[in-house]
């Protein structure tokens, strides 16, 4: 929850009149995440909610009502950041109903106290300045009730969309490759940045490359944002879901790796060594294959034991050998990919320079759909 307060600060706290004590840095309970109170209030209640909370907090009169509101926010937040709790509540409608009732009950208590305060107060100093304190609390309660209603509705929406995704994608890939479970979603929430924004809605782990085009089309049909993922070692957050309606396509099973072959390339004099690799092959395996053939694989990021060839290409990864032989895209002779519309695209490079690409060479590709 909240970080323990320093003993010196604790000793200075006014126990007789807690309202005289400085506000804690984080007042929303059950928040074990890196999100601040501000971020949580903004996400659950919106910008207006945060402004109202800040204004009321500044008045230091809110005490018990504020704590109850923070508990409501804390409950919503804890569940929305914990896929295991979400699954539990999806599986137990009764428990879910009890939680929603408890949230509404707390908001009802705040409302009751607000009524009481309003009838006791003969005049409200804030009313002179504009919107009264009572009106602010009332508006905050409206926003909080809407948030609880949205939270409640999100379970039915999730259940419905899961069924739809299973129906659409179940025709394309094995049922086990469509993963909604907590562990799969937790393991695909971030990459090496450790930046966390949203959990993916679903994680897909296709068995073959052939499934990929139809999977992309299926995700588009289901309204999901697609995020391909290799080893998850990226340092730019490219594999981090930014929307709760996203599908991470994990390519780890696409690990076809051919032998090192020596032969001609279009527009290149002489024989060139190449290797065919699936998107999910771990970079180290390609380096080892090149080594075994007495060659060097130029793409050598320090993450080679965990990164994948697809991720290397998407990030144009390189390492210390890049100075001599360029980075990932400089070392591609041919590739096949699915475009964002879900169509296959094949690209063959003509007149490979066998080194760092220079601008003039870039145009020399043959595209085939
Ligand atoms: C310890 C460490 C050392 C590193 N050292 C280097 C280094 O020396 N040089 C260097 O360049 N980088 C380095 N990196 C960064 C990272 O390893 C590389 O960018 C690597 O290429 C990412 O590969 P990945 O498979 O892990 O990709 P991911 O992290 O899974 O994905 C990275 C991006 O590529 C996209 N992507 C992944 N697979 C596909 C696919 N099949 N089709 C389309 N898009 C895809 C993702 O959507 C995402 O946007 C390092 C990272 C770490 C953690």
């Amino acid at each position: 929850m909240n970080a323990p307060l320093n003993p010196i600060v604790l000793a200075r706290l006014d126990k007789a009149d807690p309202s005289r004590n400085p506000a804690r840095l984080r007042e929303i309970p059950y928040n074990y995440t890196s999100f601040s109170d501000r971020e949580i209030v903004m996400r659950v209640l919106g910008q207006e909610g945060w402004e109202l909370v800040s204004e009321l907090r500044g008045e230091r009169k809110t005490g018990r009502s504020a704590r109850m509101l923070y508990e409501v926010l804390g409950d919503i937040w804890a569940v929305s950041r914990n896929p295991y709790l979400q699954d539990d509540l999806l599986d137990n409608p009764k428990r879910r109903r009890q939680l929603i009732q408890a949230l509404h009950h707390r908001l009802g208590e705040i409302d009751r106290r607000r009524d009481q305060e309003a009838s006791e107060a003969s005049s409200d100093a804030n009313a002179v300045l504009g919107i009264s304190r009572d009106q602010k609390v009332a508006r905050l309660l409206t926003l909080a009730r809407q948030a609880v209603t949205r939270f409640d509705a999100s379970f039915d929406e999730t259940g419905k969309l899961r069924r739809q995704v299973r129906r659409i994608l179940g025709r394309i890939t094995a049922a086990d490759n469509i993963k909604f479970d907590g562990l799969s979603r937790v393991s695909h929430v971030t990459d090496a940045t450790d930046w966390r924004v949203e959990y993916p809605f679903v994680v897909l782990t296709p068995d073959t490359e052939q499934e990929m085009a139809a999977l992309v089309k299926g995700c588009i049909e289901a309204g999901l944002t697609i995020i391909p993922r290799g080893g998850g070692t990226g340092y730019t957050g490219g594999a981090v879901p930014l929307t709760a309606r996203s599908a991470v396509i994990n390519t780890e099973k696409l690990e076809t790796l051919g032998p090192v072959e020596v032969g001609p390339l279009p527009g290149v004099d002489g024989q060139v060594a190449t290797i065919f690799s699936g998107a999910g092959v771990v970079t180290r395996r390609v380096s080892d294959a090149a080594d075994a053939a007495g060659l060097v694989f130029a793409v050598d990021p320090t993450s080679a034991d965990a990164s994948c060839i697809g991720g290397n290409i998407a990030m144009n990864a390189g390492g210390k050998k890049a100075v001599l032989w360029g980075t990932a895209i400089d070392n591609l002779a041919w590739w096949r990919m699915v475009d964002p519309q879900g169509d296959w695209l094949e690209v063959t490079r003509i007149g490979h320079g066998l080194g760092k690409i220079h601008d003039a060479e870039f145009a020399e590709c043959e595209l085939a759909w």
Side-chain angles (χ1 to χ4, degrees), residues 121-178:
S122 49
S123 72
D124 188 337
N126 278 332
V128 182
L129 302 171
I131 178 167
S132 73
R133 178 186 152 70
D134 174 49
Q135 284 170 312
K136 286 180 195 167
V137 176
R139 178 69 190 141
L140 199 51
L141 276 170
T142 303
L143 293 176
R145 286 196 169 108
Q146 287 169 350
V148 173
T149 305
R150 273 197 306 275
F151 174 65
D152 188 17
S154 72
F155 290 96
D156 287 337
E157 285 161 16
T158 298
K160 198 169 145 207
L161 187 56
R162 283 187 180 185
R163 287 191 292 281
Q164 188 191 355
V165 168
R166 263 197 212 99
R167 182 174 47 75
I168 297 173
L169 302 184
R171 298 192 294 255
I172 303 158
T173 193
D176 285 353
N177 296 342
I178 306 167

Side-chain angles (χ1 to χ4, degrees), residues 35-353:
F35 287 78
S36 64
D37 280 2
R38 179 176 170 278
E39 287 165 307
I40 297 171
V41 175
M42 295 272 281
R43 276 186 170 224
V44 181
L45 301 179
Q47 170 78 30
E48 187 193 357
W50 171 244
E51 280 163 18
L52 289 168
V53 165
S54 311
E55 285 171 29
L56 290 166
R57 194 144 63 169
E59 291 174 15
R60 301 207 178 290
K61 276 197 201 166
T62 34
R64 173 116 183 82
S65 292
R67 270 201 305 281
M68 284 193 288
L69 177 68
Y70 293 147
E71 277 166 19
V72 170
L73 295 175
D75 275 346
I76 293 180
W77 186 247
V79 173
S80 57
R81 297 308 291 182
N82 188 326
Y84 299 100
L85 287 180
Q86 287 160 24
D87 282 348
D88 180 57
L89 292 172
L90 275 166
D91 293 343
N92 294 286
K94 189 172 161 210
R95 203 172 296 163
R96 203 164 91 210
R97 255 195 322 277
Q98 285 168 339
L99 172 63
I100 300 296
Q101 274 165 6
L103 296 179
H104 278 304
H105 173 75
R106 283 200 208 113
L107 295 179
E109 279 299 297
I110 301 174
D111 213 3
R112 202 178 51 76
R113 294 169 74 91
R114 178 191 66 82
D115 257 357
Q116 215 170 353
E117 269 183 33
S119 58
E120 280 166 15
S122 49
S123 72
D124 188 337
N126 278 332
V128 182
L129 302 171
I131 178 167
S132 73
R133 178 186 152 70
D134 174 49
Q135 284 170 312
K136 286 180 195 167
V137 176
R139 178 69 190 141
L140 199 51
L141 276 170
T142 303
L143 293 176
R145 286 196 169 108
Q146 287 169 350
V148 173
T149 305
R150 273 197 306 275
F151 174 65
D152 188 17
S154 72
F155 290 96
D156 287 337
E157 285 161 16
T158 298
K160 198 169 145 207
L161 187 56
R162 283 187 180 185
R163 287 191 292 281
Q164 188 191 355
V165 168
R166 263 197 212 99
R167 182 174 47 75
I168 297 173
L169 302 184
R171 298 192 294 255
I172 303 158
T173 193
D176 285 353
N177 296 342
I178 306 167
K179 299 178 191 294
F180 298 109
D181 64 285
L183 183 59
S184 301
R185 293 177 62 216
V186 166
S187 3
H188 293 79
V189 70
T190 190
D191 58 9
T193 58
D194 200 30
W195 187 42
R196 287 149 204 270
V197 185
E198 296 287 354
Y199 285 92
F201 185 79
V202 62
V203 176
L204 305 172
T205 56
D207 294 312
T208 64
E209 194 182 286
Q210 284 67 39
E211 295 163 34
M212 205 57 92
L215 274 184
V216 168
K217 284 202 161 112
C219 287
I220 295 170
E221 187 186 336
L224 296 173
T225 298
I226 301 156
I227 303 170
R229 181 180 170 112
T233 68
Y235 264 145
T236 59
V240 175
L242 298 182
T243 150
R245 293 285 156 91
S246 50
V248 171
I249 305 186
N250 180 319
T251 55
E252 69 190 359
K253 291 193 220 156
L254 311 183
E255 48 175 9
T256 308
L257 183 64
V260 173
E261 289 175 297
V262 179
L265 284 182
V268 179
D269 292 336
Q271 304 282 299
V272 182
T274 58
I275 187 166
F276 177 92
S277 165
V281 172
V282 172
T283 314
R284 175 70 65 205
R285 289 187 57 211
V286 183
S287 296
D288 288 349
D291 260 6
L295 299 162
V296 170
F297 184 50
V299 183
D300 64 338
T302 322
S303 54
D305 287 312
S307 72
C308 299
I309 295 298
N312 293 159
I313 296 168
M315 301 305 292
N316 193 18
K320 50 200 174 302
K321 301 187 184 103
V323 182
L324 271 179
W325 296 305
T327 47
I329 57 168
D330 303 313
N331 287 282
L332 279 171
W334 169 94
W335 75 93
R336 180 167 54 210
M337 61 181 273
V338 174
D339 70 14
Q341 283 70 43
D343 295 318
W344 283 108
L345 169 65
E346 281 189 29
V347 183
T348 308
R349 191 161 161 208
I350 315 288
H352 203 297

